[in-house]
Amino acid sequence: GLLASAPACTRVLRRLPKMPLGLLGSAAFYLASSAGMSILNKLAVTALPLPVTLVVIQMAFTTATTLCGWRLIHIGSLRDALRWGCTVPLLFNAMLVSSMFAMRHNTLGTIAVFRNIAPLFTLAIERVFRVPIEVDGPTIASLLTIVLGVGIYH
């Protein structure tokens, strides 16, 4: 079974273009940390079914650890800090709370599917607001691949 397919996998891997080790390492780290956070958040919201409370606890911990190294943070001018502080935290918290509610009421598989089709909605929204975005053949092909993967998964 698995051992018999190892030489075939090795041949396929040798044909792939060489990628820098840093790229592969960072992609693997992102994959592991993203999957780990999803799993741990699902377990947390299952054990304590209070999504908003969980986000408050997570954000309090994040704020406390950030304040420990506040001298290392450079924001820019006061105007920049206020502009950032009046938009980004609100939107980010809305995303975190909605994710917790989604994890409370859905499976991780369903959440993964919706995360994978999110670029389709983002592309449509960017078009409506006339955000300059270059849509070429590879972009369309990757989006169609996502749709195919979602279809196969469900």
Side-chain angles (χ1 to χ4, degrees):
L2 184 62
L3 292 176
S5 65
C9 290
T10 303
R11 284 193 299 273
V12 169
L13 288 174
R14 283 188 188 139
R15 290 185 193 146
L16 292 175
K18 299 290 182 201
M19 289 190 221
L21 188 58
L23 175 64
L24 292 174
S26 61
F29 182 75
Y30 172 79
L31 176 69
S33 60
S34 179
M37 281 303 299
S38 292
I39 292 166
L40 291 173
N41 278 332
K42 177 66 175 177
L43 291 172
V45 81
T46 302
L48 179 66
L50 302 168
V52 177
T53 302
L54 282 170
V55 170
V56 168
I57 292 168
Q58 289 176 345
M59 294 310 293
F61 178 79
T62 302
T63 302
T65 56
T66 303
L67 288 176
C68 290
W70 68 273
R71 290 184 179 169
L72 301 173
I73 299 171
H74 176 71
I75 295 175
S77 69
L78 178 61
R79 182 175 182 266
D80 290 340
L82 290 174
R83 186 178 59 212
W84 179 89
C86 290
T87 55
V88 175
L90 297 174
L91 294 171
F92 186 66
N93 280 310
M95 186 267 310
L96 289 177
V97 169
S98 64
S99 292
M100 284 296 191
F101 275 104
M103 287 189 184
R104 182 173 177 210
H105 298 289
N106 296 297
T107 65
L108 285 177
T110 302
I111 292 168
V113 166
F114 276 92
R115 280 189 184 152
N116 283 323
I117 62 171
L120 299 173
F121 297 109
T122 304
L123 184 61
I125 291 168
E126 287 175 339
R127 285 286 187 185
V128 168
F129 289 102
R130 302 181 191 274
V131 175
I133 184 169
E134 193 173 312
V135 180
D136 53 3
T139 302
I140 298 293
S142 64
L143 291 174
L144 291 175
T145 303
I146 291 170
V147 171
L148 179 66
V150 167
I152 290 170
Y153 183 80
H154 269 285

